[in-house]
Structures are given as structure tokens and as C-alpha cells.
Amino acid sequence: MILATGLAALCLAALHLEVRLLAPALDAPRSPWLSAAGGAAAAYVFVHIFPGLCDGQEALRRTGWAFVAVLDRHVFLVALLGLLVFYGLERAALAARGGRQNPPVGAGSRGAGVFWLHLVSFGLYNFLIGYLLVNRVHPGPVSLLTYFAAMALHMAAGDYGLRRHFTDDYRRLGRKVLAGAVLAGWAVGAAFRVHEAVLAVLFAFLAGGVVMNTMKDEIPLDGSGNFPAFALGATGYAVLLLLV
């Protein structure tokens, strides 16, 4: 299984490095591929991750940790935290560009600090994705395949958003850092496994991040989304998850 997860990590890293080859398809007006990827990622969160968080909730309660007793729905609060963190990052990027949603191609963000904030945050996000390739709440080859496919689609769409925000900086440095973060996360995951309760918290934060980034990049409300493609992607991937 280590070899399989390692291959998956290499594929995700390569996707970051070479996703620019998909740019013509993703940049097309009302791109159906971008919307379909968003649908698949959303389906993975709502059909697979969120139900799994219920098991994680029970795992946390069994620990007897003092801070767990303070909050009743702490796993779902962590998911909310993930959503809020990435929403804050998006607002910071928009503010640095003077509020422009779609700057001209090649125009990077006016704030270098915002780029580095995004790079560090999404680097940790990718590190977590790489770590969870090895240590998932539900182990097994089928779980690995569905997780890998959902994260690959999600990363392709996420690259689109980062490239739109930070065109030159992302092409020169960002994509390499994010590719390395996936591999680093996998390496740490292969060497160390955390308590199942901590694993549930990590998955919860990832779920919140996926929901926010899907809303932001893959189902925008500015008229550029493609609802039929999004619905088809969500329905198709949901059916696949239910069948496996």
C-alpha cells in the first residue's frame, strides 16, 4: 500500500507542475471541466468525508481528552474552521488586487505578502492531503482510489484559482512548492501515524477547506460556472461513491 500511495503522491505533485497544460480547457468561458471537477469534489465531501466525521466524533469522545468535553460538535467546528481560514485567504487576495475578481492575464497580486500567505497556507493544505493519502479514516485500495481522484480534480481546479490570482509568482515558484508539499506530507505519513481522533480532526479541516475552495473556484456565482457540468460531476461521483 505504501507503493500505491507513493505513486498517488507523485501523480498529484506532477499535476501541480504540469497543470498549465490543461489551461486552455480550464480557462475556456463557462468551462465544463472546471465545473465538473467542482461537482466531484463536493460530492466526495458530502457523501464520503462528512459521514466519516460522525465516526471521528465517536473516536474523539472515546479519548477522554479534557478539551473534547467542552464542545459537543467539535469535529464539525473544525470543518467550519477550515472553511473560514480559506475564506479569509480569498478575501485577502481580492483586497490585494483592489477587489478585482478576474485581473488581466499575467497581472499578479499587488501584495507579495498575500502571495506568501497563500503559499504557506496551501502548502500546509497540500501537506495534509499528502499525509492523508497514507493515513485515511477508512483504509483500503478503494478508499485510496476515490480519495486520490477527488483530490486530483480538486487540485486541478485549485491551481486554476491560484494561477488566476498570482500568475507570474505561481508559475515561477508556487506550483513547485505545492508539489513538494504533497510529497513531504506523504513521506511524513509513511513514517508516522497519529491517533485516530487526531486523524478525524485533520479530515474535518480538510473537508472545510475543500468546501470553501470548491465554492470559490469551481462554482463561482459570477456567471462563469457551468451548472449542468457541475451537477453531472456531483451526481456521477456520488453514485460512484455509493456503489463502492
Side-chain angles (χ1 to χ4, degrees), residues 48-242:
H48 187 78
I49 294 184
F50 278 166
L53 292 184
C54 295
D55 296 334
Q57 182 81 11
E58 292 303 318
L60 276 170
R61 287 172 178 164
R62 290 195 301 269
T63 62
W65 296 340
F67 77 91
V68 170
V70 177
L71 301 171
D72 183 35
R73 298 293 179 183
H74 35 274
V75 169
F76 295 96
L77 288 174
V78 173
L80 176 61
L81 175 62
L83 187 150
L84 292 175
V85 166
F86 286 95
Y87 176 69
L89 288 172
E90 175 68 7
R91 295 304 303 172
L94 287 174
R97 295 205 320 269
R100 291 173 297 170
Q101 184 72 21
N102 295 298
V105 175
S109 170
R110 293 183 300 171
V114 176
F115 168 70
W116 283 103
L117 177 63
H118 272 70
L119 190 59
V120 171
S121 300
F122 277 90
L124 293 174
Y125 185 67
N126 276 21
F127 181 91
L128 178 58
I129 289 174
Y131 181 87
L132 293 175
L133 276 170
V134 187
N135 302 293
R136 297 177 310 285
V137 174
H138 301 290
V142 174
S143 172
L144 173 61
L145 182 60
T146 56
Y147 176 75
F148 166 77
M151 291 302 103
L153 292 169
H154 181 58
M155 281 184 170
D159 270 285
Y160 167 82
L162 289 170
R163 184 164 47 83
R164 183 188 65 193
H165 281 317
F166 312 106
T167 304
D168 296 329
D169 289 334
Y170 185 71
R171 183 175 59 247
R172 183 179 63 254
L173 176 64
R175 62 192 181 95
K176 299 174 184 176
V177 171
L178 297 187
V182 173
L183 297 177
W186 173 83
V188 172
F192 303 100
R193 180 176 176 85
V194 297
H195 190 280
E196 62 175 337
V198 177
L199 198 61
V201 170
L202 295 177
F203 250 109
F205 186 83
L206 177 65
V210 170
V211 169
M212 179 58 219
N213 289 316
T214 297
M215 293 167 58
K216 170 176 65 75
D217 292 324
E218 299 153 37
I219 50 172
L221 299 180
D222 59 0
S224 61
N226 187 312
F227 175 74
F230 178 84
L232 183 62
T235 302
Y237 208 76
V239 169
L240 175 64
L241 291 171
L242 292 174

